[in-house]
Amino acid sequence: DIQMTQSPSSVSASVGDRVTITCRASQDISTWLAWYRQKPGNAPELLIYSASRLEFGVPSRFSGSGSGTDFTLTISGLQPEDFATYFCQQANSFPLTFGGGTKVEIK
Amino acid sequence: VQLQESGPRLLKPSQTLSLTCSVSGGSMNSGDYSWNWIRQSPGTGLEWIGYINSGGNTNYNPSFKSRITISLDTSKNQFSLRLRSVTAGDTALYYCARGIHPVDRWGQGTLVAVSS
């Protein structure tokens, strides 16, 4: 199985801050990577797929980059609804696997 | 498209977990989608269980392969999960979801507890 490692596991930030989350795959996954935001009590919601493509309706403050094994999610201008947990997921091979999550907390 | 899980929420060890996902707002036969079961627990995080596609083909996580069956009922626009011989380790929030890359629609999830 491909292991997905996210860092940091948590980050404290303020509204308006820029936050960067990284995800590393245990082997080359090209750009078969997606990012999700999970608000407390809710299901994950898709933000980005193919490493850098913004899902329809997702605000442009979210951006993704990377290929191969190293990926980043950047939130430029944190909003109150962005205090949540973020997950990466690889779809290069089965079984699909997810990162352990990064919790963005209010400073 | 919206997805909604349903099924018993409390099981005893060794029983079979049976969940159904009802899809509304579109036909499961339209488009070449895969229909997944994914679970989440504090201990193991998000864990993909398996999928079935509109043609009835399945792909299971080897971690569950000997215990699971995913089936499809297109006449009811539903798909189902059966997980046999459950243990406390199967206690989790179970989601049904659409798509592989990406997983673009999720149900709200249903919490299943396994306890004697």
Side-chain angles (χ1 to χ4, degrees), chain A residues 18-30:
Chain A
R18 177 185 172 106
V19 171
T20 298
I21 298 168
T22 65
C23 181
R24 174 164 288 177
S26 61
Q27 63 189 71
D28 189 338
I29 61 169
S30 184

Side-chain angles (χ1 to χ4, degrees), chain B residues 27-28 30-35 51-55 98-99 104:
Chain B
S27 169
M28 293 181 69
S30 63
D32 187 22
Y33 288 110
S34 297
W35 303 92
Y51 79 68
I52 190 165
N53 65 19
S54 56
R98 184 185 78 171
D104 67 349

Side-chain angles (χ1 to χ4, degrees), chain B residues 21-111:
Chain B
C21 182
S22 298
V23 179
S24 59
S27 169
M28 293 181 69
N29 282 328
S30 63
D32 187 22
Y33 288 110
S34 297
W35 303 92
N36 303 278
W37 288 99
I38 297 168
R39 73 182 188 181
Q40 185 174 29
S41 66
T44 54
L46 285 162
E47 191 172 24
W48 177 75
I49 299 170
Y51 79 68
I52 190 165
N53 65 19
S54 56
N57 300 305
T58 56
N59 189 325
Y60 299 150
N61 188 327
S63 297
F64 300 93
K65 200 165 189 175
S66 63
R67 296 199 291 142
I68 66 168
T69 302
I70 298 176
S71 58
L72 181 68
D73 187 340
T74 54
S75 67
K76 295 182 178 179
N77 231 31
Q78 294 177 337
F79 65 106
S80 298
L81 168 70
R82 286 175 57 84
L83 178 64
R84 295 175 287 278
S85 304
V86 297
T87 68
D90 293 310
T91 293
L93 186 57
Y94 285 77
Y95 294 102
C96 57
R98 184 185 78 171
I100 296 297
H101 187 67
V103 181
D104 67 349
R105 295 287 188 273
W106 297 66
Q108 64 185 33
T110 188
L111 182 61

